[in-house]
Amino acid sequence: MSIKLKLATLAAIPLFVIALGGAINILRLQSQAAEMARIEHLTDLAGHVSALVHETQKERGRTAGFLGSGGMRFGPELTDQRKLTDQRVADFNAFLEGFDRSDVSPAFNDHLDAARSALADLKDHRARVSSQSIPAPKAIGYYTGMNASFLDAIAATVADCSDAEIVRQITAYAAFLKSKERAGIERAVLSNTFAADRFGPGMYRKFIALTTAQ
């Protein structure tokens, strides 16, 4: 080999390594950008979910008071709250129409499907509450089960993130929302208790369990 060819060969090796390293780095950055875009989308969804759950928590509390009083109290407040909940439901459904669920974890989709299935029964559930044909524990349990599925969906978003700091923040946010949910259940239990002027069947045990959990 001529000196010129030898020098060219020697120069080609580090250039190849540099080019390979650059290509790998570009792929890594592209992957990070795609993940950040996905997390941003999930964060937007979490905002809509938490806003909706906030209203269903309030509706649960007023439902409990309405049933506890035998329909004598909290009627107008419950009607007004249902309208606020409906607004959040509409916002959530509108956002979900443009949300791509194909690139998120199966656990997230399972929890979200369970929550939406419960949400589809909201109209029928309200009718039973209005006619007082449902016991308070079951009425409260409906909102509690639905909210749990929504909040579990938010917690499941950590499976779609590899950044440790973002995982920590999502976990903390989910824990905060679940603590707020426990406080909301306690409010519903006590609303029903004060309205009825007594603890209903199983309500005292539930209250103690909630206090302990918090």
Side-chain angles (χ1 to χ4, degrees), residues 126-148:
R126 286 173 171 175
R128 296 182 66 188
V129 170
S130 296
S131 64
Q132 299 180 59
S133 60
I134 183 173
K138 190 171 183 179
I140 293 172
Y142 163 78
Y143 293 102
T144 300
M146 178 172 63
N147 291 351

Side-chain angles (χ1 to χ4, degrees), residues 137-160:
K138 190 171 183 179
I140 293 172
Y142 163 78
Y143 293 102
T144 300
M146 178 172 63
N147 291 351
S149 293
F150 273 126
L151 298 182
D152 285 341
I154 292 177
T157 59
V158 298
D160 297 297

Side-chain angles (χ1 to χ4, degrees), residues 6-22:
K6 288 180 180 179
L7 291 174
T9 302
L10 291 173
I13 294 174
L15 288 175
F16 174 75
V17 172
I18 292 171
L20 181 61

Side-chain angles (χ1 to χ4, degrees), residues 24-60:
I24 292 172
N25 191 47
I26 289 172
L27 291 174
R28 181 179 61 82
L29 292 175
Q30 287 178 338
S31 177
Q32 287 180 344
E35 180 177 318
M36 290 301 102
R38 184 168 63 252
I39 293 299
E40 182 180 4
H41 208 37
L42 288 170
T43 301
D44 288 342
L45 177 63
H48 283 80
V49 167
S50 61
L52 172 56
V53 168
H54 178 67
E55 299 302 335
T56 58
Q57 288 169 341
K58 290 159 59 182
E59 183 171 328
R60 176 179 54 198

Side-chain angles (χ1 to χ4, degrees), residues 3-210:
I3 294 177
K4 184 177 180 180
L5 184 57
K6 288 180 180 179
L7 291 174
T9 302
L10 291 173
I13 294 174
L15 288 175
F16 174 75
V17 172
I18 292 171
L20 181 61
I24 292 172
N25 191 47
I26 289 172
L27 291 174
R28 181 179 61 82
L29 292 175
Q30 287 178 338
S31 177
Q32 287 180 344
E35 180 177 318
M36 290 301 102
R38 184 168 63 252
I39 293 299
E40 182 180 4
H41 208 37
L42 288 170
T43 301
D44 288 342
L45 177 63
H48 283 80
V49 167
S50 61
L52 172 56
V53 168
H54 178 67
E55 299 302 335
T56 58
Q57 288 169 341
K58 290 159 59 182
E59 183 171 328
R60 176 179 54 198
R62 285 170 183 157
T63 295
F66 175 79
L67 292 174
S69 67
M72 301 300 294
R73 298 173 58 191
F74 298 102
E77 293 87 349
L78 180 56
T79 299
D80 291 342
Q81 180 55 49
R82 286 175 174 177
K83 293 177 182 177
L84 293 174
T85 303
D86 287 342
Q87 290 176 5
R88 291 302 185 185
V89 170
D91 291 342
F92 170 74
N93 287 333
F95 176 83
L96 211 57
E97 288 180 1
F99 183 80
D100 183 10
R101 298 176 57 184
S102 63
D103 197 27
V104 292
S105 69
F108 172 86
N109 281 318
D110 289 344
H111 291 309
L112 190 60
D113 286 339
R116 294 185 71 197
S117 178
L119 190 61
D121 295 331
L122 181 59
K123 184 177 180 179
D124 291 340
H125 178 75
R126 286 173 171 175
R128 296 182 66 188
V129 170
S130 296
S131 64
Q132 299 180 59
S133 60
I134 183 173
K138 190 171 183 179
I140 293 172
Y142 163 78
Y143 293 102
T144 300
M146 178 172 63
N147 291 351
S149 293
F150 273 126
L151 298 182
D152 285 341
I154 292 177
T157 59
V158 298
D160 297 297
C161 181
S162 61
D163 186 283
E165 176 60 20
I166 294 178
V167 167
R168 185 188 67 81
Q169 293 183 16
I170 292 174
T171 302
Y173 181 57
F176 166 75
L177 291 178
K178 290 185 177 182
S179 295
K180 179 174 176 287
E181 169 65 3
R182 291 190 188 98
I185 301 170
E186 180 183 325
R187 179 176 62 188
V189 169
L190 292 180
S191 293
N192 179 261
T193 300
F194 287 127
D197 199 26
R198 62 181 174 81
F199 278 103
M203 287 296 198
Y204 181 69
R205 182 186 296 273
K206 190 171 186 64
F207 170 69
I208 294 301
L210 286 167

